[in-house]
Amino acid sequence: MWKTMILLVLVNVINGQCSCSKFTDESSCFAYGYCLFVNGVCVEQKCEAIPYQEKCKSPLCLWKDNKCLTFKAAESTCQTLLPQQCTEYQGCYYDYTNLKCQISNNCSKLEIDQCNGQLGNGNSCIVDPFNNKCQEMTDCKSLSTEFMCLSQFPFCLYQNSSCKPSSCNEINDSVSCSIMDQCQWNNNKCEIKNCQSIKFGYQCNGKTCGFDKDQCFSCIEQYGYQFFAGLISLLFIL
C-alpha cells in the first residue's frame, strides 16, 4: 500500500507541469499553461481572471460570452462545445448518432459510437470491440485485450499477454517518440528528454520542459532534489 502511494507521488512529480513562478520572462510566461505576468511576477491564474481568449483553454477553462469561465461538465456546458472541442474537456463525449456533445459520467453506459472523450476524473473511455462495449481506462494495465492496448500506442505496450505503460527506450521510431512528452529522439533512438540539451523554444514544450530567456529547463527542478531522492530511498526501504 505504501509503495503504491509513493509511486503515485513519483509519477505526479515526474509528470507535473512547471510552476509558473519558474518563468521570469513575460513572453515565456504568457506562452505556458494558465500563467500570466502580473506585477513583474509570473503566476497561475484562475479562469475568471484570464482576459485573453487564447489563454482560456481546455481542459480547465472555457471562453463563453466574451469571458473566461471555469469549465464544469453539465448538459448545458457540454452541448455548447463544437465537435472538435468536445473531447478536449473532461466529462464530455461526442454522440456521432445525434451529432452533439453530451455529458459523460460512466463509460460502461455509452454505446460504441459514443465511446470517446474523458470522464470528469480524467480517465478515458475506450472501445472493447470483442465484447462490444465501452470501458473506462484508468491506466494501461486496465486494458484487458491486445487490441485495446495497441489502440493506446505509444503510451501503452502489449507484452507477455498484458498491457503496460511504455518507457522511452522501448519506442523505436521518431514519430512515436515525439508524441511522448517525457521522451526525445536522439542519435536514432528514443531517450528520456534532456531539457537542457534542447536549443529551440518550439521543441521545449509540454509538461516536462519549460522555456525561459532563451533556455530550456526541466520542470522537475521545481521539486527539490532532496525531496525526490528521499521518496526513492523510502520506496526501497518499505
Side-chain angles (χ1 to χ4, degrees), residues 22-36:
K22 297 288 288 185
F23 299 91
T24 57
D25 180 72
E26 183 172 1
S27 60
S28 298
C29 173
F30 187 85
Y32 194 86
Y34 301 92
C35 305
L36 288 177

Side-chain angles (χ1 to χ4, degrees), residues 146 149-150 156-167 170:
E146 182 178 3
C149 186
L150 292 175
C156 302
L157 286 179
Y158 194 77
Q159 291 182 349
N160 300 320
S161 301
S162 64
C163 192
K164 72 178 191 69
S166 57
S167 57
E170 293 175 305

Side-chain angles (χ1 to χ4, degrees), residues 47-67:
C47 300
E48 284 71 15
I50 297 176
Y52 311 105
Q53 185 173 358
E54 62 266 36
K55 290 290 291 183
C56 184
K57 55 190 178 181
S58 62
L60 301 181
C61 305
L62 175 67
W63 187 260
K64 185 179 180 182
D65 300 328
N66 290 319
K67 57 184 177 182

Side-chain angles (χ1 to χ4, degrees), residues 95-151:
D95 185 341
Y96 285 92
T97 299
N98 298 301
L99 302 179
K100 61 182 179 180
C101 191
Q102 304 268 48
I103 187 171
S104 175
N105 296 314
N106 189 333
C107 295
S108 63
K109 293 183 178 180
L110 299 178
E111 301 294 333
I112 296 300
D113 67 333
Q114 301 170 335
C115 190
N116 56 72
Q118 304 173 67
L119 300 178
N121 60 12
N123 291 340
S124 299
C125 293
I126 305 295
V127 173
D128 180 353
F130 298 103
N131 295 303
N132 196 36
K133 65 179 183 179
C134 188
Q135 176 184 318
E136 178 179 351
M137 175 183 170
T138 55
D139 54 27
C140 294
K141 292 181 180 179
S142 69
L143 300 179
S144 55
T145 69
E146 182 178 3
F147 181 90
M148 294 172 70
C149 186
L150 292 175
S151 73

